[in-house]
Amino acid sequence: MKKVMVKESISRKGLDLLEREFEVVYAPEMAREEMLEEISDCNALIVRSATRVDSEVIEAAKCLEVIGRAGVGVDNIDVESATRRGIMVINAPQSNIISAAEHTMALILSSCREIPAAVNSLRSGKWERKRFEGVELYHKTIGILGLGRIGMLVAQRCLGFGMRVIAYDPYISSERAQRLGVEMKDSLEALLEESDFITVHLPKSSETYHLIGRSEFARMKDGVRIFNVARGGIIDEEALAEALRTGKVAAAGLDVFEKEPLPPNSPFASMDNVIITPHLGASTQEAQDRAGIMIAEQVAAALRGEFVSNVVNLEVPAEVDEEVRAFLPLCEKLGRLLTFLLEGHVDEIGVEYLGGLAEHETGVLTVAVLKGFFGKVAEEPVTYVNAPMFAKERGIAVRESRSSATRDYVNLVMVRGRRNDKEIAVGGTLVGLSNAERFVHVYEYDIDLGPSRYMAFFRYEDVPGMIGKIGTILGEADINIAHMQVGRKKIGGEAVMGINVDVPIPDEVMKRIMRVRGVSDGKFITLW
């Protein structure tokens, strides 16, 4: 009989489901040292967010087949080490979306009517009706940052309160938002300037870290109220504390923090106009039941060898043709490159396969493009299973075409993102016996550049000295250019430069380059 260790509490229903087929070690209180011994013969491990499943745990688990996270994120799991060992990592991404949306509304309503402060006042023997004069939601404007599943649920609830709902999410179409009664804004700045309330529902990434800082607070209305039940670190906490002290921000509701548990010396702990809760977004009985049942079902299916839908590190099915399989990493990178270059919603993603590749079944490559495209913007891990669902939810049409004719390459993959009349294309191929990846088309220009973790692309007037000016700025910032390629269509027209760099290019350096006369566009990209 296979053995499952449940290291943190899940619902009784989930445990019952597992106990029907497997030996279950239920050990929420087990010390780490004991866990490292006990896990040696376990076939599955189920955790929540408190247990750190690092390489030490994974190495100690000699028989482990699957790790289940009863919740959304997998930040506490070393997915790379698990993948290296061939261990499946799964989660329960939809278990807490309703509870997170409702907790957001609870913070908003409690803030408007100053419920915690009023309760404490009354308990201290006071009767301060005038002090606790609240504000209504009716006819106020709420700005939602991130219109994914949770953001959509919050929007629906706010519409029920008679609020004007605006949102900023460059990967959601205005048409889809309008059908829900939500008005999309073209920029973060526009949302900040118009909102009476702001709520954050974004994934945490290098792009969203400290997305809301001092300059963003300066753009907001005086007396704005801001809420975060998404991820700590998206709001610059020092800047928020300063804005709360000055009255720029009237009140805040925070369920997540950059450092958790919240340090005792946090300024928010002593501020009456801040409601703080200890990461309770998923903490409802129903959400816990859903998470426990979902992860138990998924783990049981994995141990039986059946299909599992929420695999974070899902490998491509073995039946994929080897020639097609070789293109999978490149297609993911093309999708991610397109995300950076487009910087916003697309109405359609078209994938064209040229050359010998067109003779094969390429559907999995199209999914790989979508996986790369949404990996930067989705709230939950994107896999080969759920990537097409993200496109459907965002109203993005996905087209695939093939042609055996190709002028310059044995095989070529072209990916095009279209929004209204605007189209951006990227293309790639594999070359040589080692199948080296190459980007061979960026924007509308042919180029030849290998992918790297840190890259940048610049569009500029093709006049003497431009390459030197850009290179000089990077050199002064101590940023080494590993490789560079230039593409153009005619002398004296527009050109595109692609570079591989050894380290990230800071925003201030990119801004310096953008101020160079003749440079029309610049993008720094972290591909992985």
Side-chain angles (χ1 to χ4, degrees):
M1 180 181 288
K2 290 191 173 183
K3 186 174 179 182
V4 179
M5 175 182 285
V6 181
K7 184 60 184 68
E8 296 182 60
S9 62
I10 65 171
S11 70
R12 184 67 248 177
K13 293 177 182 177
L15 289 171
D16 289 343
L17 190 152
L18 291 168
E19 287 171 350
R20 292 175 201 156
E21 300 180 62
F22 312 108
E23 178 187 349
V24 176
V25 178
Y26 184 57
E29 305 301 324
M30 183 181 287
R32 181 179 173 89
E33 292 73 18
E34 187 180 352
M35 172 192 173
L36 289 171
E37 294 180 11
E38 184 70 30
I39 202 171
S40 62
D41 63 344
C42 289
N43 303 99
L45 170 64
I46 293 177
V47 298
R48 298 185 64 82
S49 60
T51 302
R52 185 164 50 91
V53 187
D54 54 18
S55 58
E56 183 183 25
V57 173
I58 290 168
E59 288 304 315
K62 305 301 182 185
C63 304
L64 205 60
E65 301 173 43
V66 57
I67 300 168
R69 161 73 163 92
V72 179
V74 289
D75 298 346
N76 56 316
I77 299 172
D78 187 339
V79 177
E80 185 177 340
S81 293
T83 303
R84 201 179 300 119
R85 281 274 312 278
I87 298 167
M88 192 181 299
V89 179
I90 61 180
N91 66 347
Q94 298 187 55
S95 59
N96 70 343
I97 58 174
I98 293 173
S99 60
E102 290 187 356
H103 193 67
T104 301
M105 296 308 300
L107 290 179
I108 292 172
L109 289 165
S110 296
S111 169
C112 286
R113 303 311 293 267
E114 299 187 57
I115 300 296
V119 169
N120 290 335
S121 172
L122 192 58
R123 282 177 174 165
S124 68
K126 299 175 184 177
W127 188 265
E128 300 179 290
R129 293 185 66 192
K130 289 185 178 180
R131 175 188 167 190
F132 298 114
E133 182 178 77
V135 296
E136 296 180 352
L137 298 184
Y138 186 61
H139 280 188
K140 299 295 194 313
T141 297
I142 185 164
I144 300 178
L145 284 179
L147 207 58
R149 291 190 181 98
I150 297 172
M152 288 283 192
L153 290 172
V154 172
Q156 292 169 355
R157 283 149 179 77
C158 290
L159 288 167
F161 279 94
M163 301 186 80
R164 175 192 175 220
V165 180
I166 63 176
Y168 174 66
D169 188 326
Y171 304 98
I172 299 290
S173 68
S174 296
E175 292 76 14
R176 178 170 176 78
Q178 285 171 1
R179 288 196 295 270
L180 297 167
V182 178
E183 178 186 344
M184 294 300 291
K185 291 297 169 183
D186 294 333
S187 66
L188 172 62
E189 291 76 17
L191 179 138
L192 299 177
E193 290 167 1
E194 295 184 34
S195 299
D196 303 302
F197 297 77
I198 295 170
T199 178
V200 176
H201 301 285
L202 294 169
K204 185 177 180 180
S205 67
S206 57
E207 287 78 27
T208 61
Y209 179 72
H210 283 192
L211 180 68
I212 307 297
R214 284 181 173 81
S215 60
E216 287 72 30
F217 283 116
R219 285 184 174 272
M220 298 177 191
K221 291 182 178 181
D222 292 339
V224 69
R225 295 168 185 258
I226 190 164
F227 305 88
N228 187 7
V229 187
R231 291 288 186 271
I234 296 174
I235 298 174
D236 182 337
E237 293 179 2
E238 287 187 11
L240 174 57
E242 181 181 310
L244 286 159
R245 291 189 194 101
T246 63
K248 179 68 178 184
V249 175
L254 306 172
D255 184 51
V256 290
F257 306 90
E258 197 160 337
K259 293 182 180 178
E260 295 184 0
L262 186 68
N265 61 349
S266 168
F268 303 129
S270 59
M271 288 183 168
D272 290 337
N273 55 345
V274 182
I275 300 174
I276 50 176
T277 53
H279 208 140
L280 301 179
S283 296
T284 62
Q285 181 179 333
E286 293 83 357
Q288 301 308 305
D289 284 348
R290 279 193 296 269
I293 293 168
M294 287 175 67
I295 207 65
E297 289 174 343
Q298 297 278 289
V299 165
L303 292 178
R304 293 190 216 105
E306 298 173 358
F307 174 76
V308 180
S309 60
N310 295 320
V311 185
V312 173
N313 59 342
L314 182 73
E315 296 296 329
V316 181
E319 62 269 16
V320 174
D321 184 275
E322 282 303 316
E323 186 171 351
V324 172
R325 181 185 293 272
F327 276 82
L328 283 166
L330 173 67
C331 287
E332 279 198 43
K333 293 181 180 75
L334 288 171
R336 189 162 177 86
L337 176 61
L338 186 67
T339 308
F340 278 99
L341 298 184
L342 273 168
E343 287 192 322
H345 174 75
V346 292
D347 301 311
E348 179 180 307
I349 294 175
V351 189
E352 185 179 11
Y353 302 99
L354 302 165
L357 195 59
E359 306 300 321
H360 297 265
E361 174 52 54
T362 54
V364 70
L365 295 181
T366 301
V367 175
V369 169
L370 298 178
K371 183 174 183 287
F373 185 85
F374 292 113
K376 171 177 172 283
V377 302
E379 293 175 83
E380 62 193 68
V382 183
T383 70
Y384 282 92
V385 174
N386 64 13
M389 177 183 65
F390 284 107
K392 184 177 181 180
E393 288 179 348
R394 287 160 172 77
I396 299 173
V398 180
R399 316 270 183 215
E400 185 179 306
S401 61
R402 300 184 185 88
S403 174
S404 58
T406 177
R407 186 183 62 194
D408 299 315
Y409 303 98
V410 175
N411 292 296
L412 178 65
V413 180
M414 291 292 296
V415 182
R416 294 180 173 85
R418 299 185 182 93
R419 178 174 60 239
N420 299 326
D421 296 329
K422 181 180 180 180
E423 177 182 292
I424 287 180
V426 296
T429 191
L430 303 180
V431 298
L433 295 176
S434 63
N435 281 333
E437 297 174 341
R438 309 297 292 180
F439 289 151
V440 298
H441 191 93
V442 176
Y443 295 115
E444 60 268 28
Y445 300 94
D446 291 333
I447 200 168
D448 185 3
L449 192 65
S452 66
R453 184 176 186 184
Y454 303 122
M455 305 185 75
F457 294 90
F458 302 99
R459 301 173 78 167
Y460 57 92
E461 294 177 12
D462 185 24
V463 296
M466 294 300 292
I467 294 174
K469 290 176 183 178
I470 294 172
T472 297
I473 292 173
L474 291 171
E476 290 173 349
D478 202 26
I479 295 170
N480 185 53
I481 298 176
H483 300 96
M484 182 188 72
Q485 279 285 311
V486 172
R488 64 181 185 179
K489 292 185 176 179
K490 63 178 182 178
I491 297 173
E494 185 183 65
V496 63
M497 178 198 300
I499 61 174
N500 305 104
V501 291
D502 297 334
V503 295
I505 303 177
D507 288 343
E508 57 269 24
V509 176
M510 289 297 295
K511 289 175 182 176
R512 280 190 64 195
I513 294 173
M514 291 301 297
R515 287 195 293 268
V516 172
R517 185 173 180 179
V519 176
S520 59
D521 191 22
K523 300 284 192 309
F524 168 70
I525 294 168
T526 304
L527 268 183
W528 59 81

